[in-house]
Amino acid sequence: MALIVQKYGGTSVGSVERIQAVAEKIKGWRARGHDLVVVVSAMSGETNRLTALAREIDPRCAGRELDVLLSTGEQVTIALLAMALGQIDCPAISFTGSQVKIQTDSTHNKARIRQVDDHRIHSELEAGKVVIVAGFQGVDDAGAITTLGRGGSDTTAVALAAALKADECQIYTDVDGVYTTDPRVVANARRLERITFEEMLEMASLGSKVLQIRSVEFAGKYDVPLRVLSSFEEGVGTLITQEEEDVEQARISGIAFNRDEAQLTVTHVPDRPGIAYKLLGPVSDANIEIDMIVQNVGADGTTDFTFTVNRNDYQNALEALQTATSEIGGEVSGRDDIVKLSLVGVGMRSHAGIASKMFRILADEGINILMISTSEIKISVVIDEKYLELGVRALHEGFNLASEEAA
Ligand code: ADP
Ligand code: ASP
Ligand code: MG
């Protein structure tokens, strides 16, 4: 008998019928003798619907009241699932994040979990119940409701699994595992049997939203056995694991991409110490995260900077840079029709030539590379958004990712 934490995403609980189907699945796991803690998301589309309502009133809405609003989505599904389980004689009890308690910091809309109080969960499990917990939400020290950022139910599940020392954390979603790339873009993408935490973290950070980044960080840190599976069909899914040294790793595990990118360039900036700080300081003061940064070799006493930000932050970043350059000099330009495309794989460490092969494949398709950034296990390029699908498919084909002997 094992203790299993399961998480069902929005599509998996998107209608009454689907909630009833999830209840049947849970009953099956109970019948096999397992203890279950179940985390659910809001019904698909609900968090977007609530966000749109809030924006009708305040286009820049954020903070405490947005969390009060958004957390209602998950409160609906925990209650409905508990009722559905009750109807099939499978005792269950639902809890909101603040009832459990999922204690977080006070950063509304993207709070971090600090601690999980597992007493109540343990006593309900001992009483033979399935414990259902609302994903995506917590409570801060002052008792205010917080939410964990989009996709945050994954992190709730992993945090609970870590706190309860669960035998496995199962993330049920609308795909049957982690694929070499988003199967919605490449039809012959291949499901991976396993992927390392490190690779999954890169994939998630670089735009593969199948798991929230923090859930992977958490799982790696606390060594939570994590599996991504389909809600709709049987299968083993994808196991996210520590790196196994003795296994020959495929060179490339997958291709991630991010459509939410924008690029800013500042030219003719005086080339002297402290200038990067003076330019980028106001951008980070405006709470804008900067991603890739390139500074050119200076010429004629001036230099150029290019960097990327999230597309939502584009206008604010432009304004911050205009303020900075009015003091120190330089010309600001930018575009918000770019995307980032990345190859990820631990095997890159020991294989040279992957970057040049990537650049050749893109060149053969006539795709211009605007920026490049690399780390030990990834190569990212920024390209025009109109080439995204073409680029992903060409790389998937060129690196032979549909086949087991990839790269
Ligand atoms: P949920 O609502 O269950 O949390 P998400 O929409 O957050 O589901 O995540 C599942 C989706 O992630 C899939 O439908 C798929 O389109 C997308 N996705 C992106 N990259 C990948 C990938 N490499 N492997 C699998 N799915 C991916
Ligand atoms: N309902 C939230 C969202 O749509 C959290 C989640 O589904 O994980 O982002
Ligand atoms: Mg998700």
Side-chain angles (χ1 to χ4, degrees):
M1 193 176 94
L3 170 58
I4 301 171
V5 175
Q6 301 186 332
K7 177 254 171 177
Y8 292 90
T11 319
S12 315
V13 292
S15 65
V16 164
E17 292 71 29
R18 286 191 170 170
I19 291 173
Q20 287 167 328
V22 166
E24 290 292 347
K25 262 179 96 100
I26 292 171
K27 191 177 180 184
W29 282 91
R30 285 292 289 146
R32 277 170 265 152
H34 302 301
D35 279 339
L36 286 192
V37 174
V38 178
V39 174
V40 281
S41 291
M43 296 169 92
S44 59
E46 180 63 6
T47 310
N48 288 345
R49 188 184 74 86
L50 294 168
T51 308
L53 280 180
R55 292 209 174 126
E56 272 184 44
I57 292 176
D58 173 3
R60 289 185 164 214
C61 70
R64 185 185 188 281
E65 302 311 326
L66 184 62
D67 282 347
V68 173
L69 178 70
L70 294 188
S71 63
T72 62
E74 273 72 9
Q75 191 166 337
V76 169
T77 42
I78 54 169
L80 291 176
L81 181 58
M83 290 174 197
L85 283 163
Q87 286 295 306
I88 55 173
D89 298 319
C90 184
I93 182 165
S94 71
F95 292 110
T96 64
S98 55
Q99 287 175 316
V100 166
K101 282 184 158 178
I102 310 253
Q103 195 84 41
T104 71
D105 64 17
S106 300
T107 322
H108 283 290
N109 316 148
K110 48 179 171 189
R112 280 181 176 267
I113 296 178
R114 282 194 180 141
Q115 212 183 325
V116 176
D117 181 359
D118 55 359
H119 285 86
R120 190 75 198 271
I121 297 181
H122 275 303
S123 59
E124 297 295 348
L125 287 174
E126 272 158 30
K129 290 184 190 161
V130 173
V131 177
I132 304 169
V133 180
F136 177 57
Q137 55 179 261
V139 62
D140 75 359
D141 291 340
I145 297 174
T146 54
T147 64
L148 310 178
R150 296 307 302 265
S153 299
D154 298 333
T155 303
T156 306
V158 174
L160 280 170
L164 296 164
K165 300 191 176 55
D167 297 289
E168 189 162 295
C169 181
Q170 303 173 340
I171 306 288
Y172 287 94
T173 182
D174 55 5
V175 269
D176 65 344
V178 178
Y179 277 67
T180 46
T181 193
D182 190 339
R184 288 178 209 239
V185 170
V186 178
N188 69 348
R190 177 172 53 88
R191 181 178 57 80
L192 300 164
E193 286 292 321
R194 294 164 167 258
I195 183 168
T196 67
F197 285 114
E198 201 183 0
E199 288 169 314
M200 193 62 236
L201 192 60
E202 284 287 357
M203 292 279 281
S205 312
L206 296 166
S208 301
K209 290 177 184 138
V210 57
L211 286 174
Q212 198 199 33
I213 304 169
R214 276 195 205 147
S215 72
V216 187
E217 267 170 16
F218 226 100
K221 188 164 163 198
Y222 296 100
D223 221 353
V224 176
L226 184 62
R227 198 181 278 279
V228 176
L229 304 128
S230 165
S231 289
F232 306 115
E233 45 191 272
E234 294 298 315
V236 292
T238 299
L239 186 66
I240 295 116
T241 59
Q242 303 291 354
E243 198 164 331
E244 292 163 35
E245 279 168 24
D246 50 334
V247 177
E248 167 73 4
Q249 298 282 351
R251 285 170 230 182
I252 309 293
S253 290
I255 304 169
F257 51 84
N258 192 355
R259 301 176 199 264
D260 309 325
E261 302 267 342
Q263 185 188 52
L264 295 129
T265 300
V266 191
T267 51
H268 300 104
V269 189
D271 193 12
R272 49 170 203 262
I275 220 70
Y277 168 70
K278 283 204 170 131
L279 262 187
L280 300 183
V283 178
S284 54
D285 288 348
N287 261 327
I288 298 170
E289 236 172 86
I290 296 164
D291 183 17
M292 290 184 185
I293 307 181
V294 177
Q295 181 186 355
N296 278 350
V297 177
D300 310 330
T302 71
T303 185
D304 303 341
F305 284 92
T306 301
F307 59 94
T308 58
V309 296
N310 189 292
R311 216 175 268 191
N312 292 329
D313 292 325
Y314 177 61
Q315 284 304 334
N316 289 342
L318 266 183
E319 283 165 28
L321 282 179
Q322 259 134 14
T323 312
T325 49
S326 65
E327 259 178 52
I328 56 176
E331 287 143 38
V332 184
S333 60
R335 51 189 293 196
D336 64 354
D337 58 350
I338 53 132
V339 292
K340 184 168 67 184
L341 205 155
S342 311
L343 276 185
V344 175
V346 287
M348 275 185 205
R349 283 196 190 115
S350 46
H351 291 88
I354 291 180
S356 64
K357 181 169 172 182
M358 178 182 191
F359 304 153
R360 176 173 53 74
I361 293 168
L362 295 174
D364 286 348
E365 300 294 336
I367 299 173
N368 191 29
I369 298 172
L370 304 168
M371 288 173 90
I372 298 169
S373 124
T374 64
S375 78
E376 246 199 329
I377 67 162
K378 71 119 202 276
I379 306 164
S380 299
V381 296
V382 170
I383 59 171
D384 196 318
E385 72 178 0
K386 68 175 181 248
Y387 296 125
L388 174 73
E389 276 81 9
L390 177 66
V392 173
R393 287 181 194 138
L395 290 174
H396 201 270
E397 180 79 33
F399 281 96
N400 199 19
L401 295 187
S403 128
E404 294 276 344
E405 291 90 45

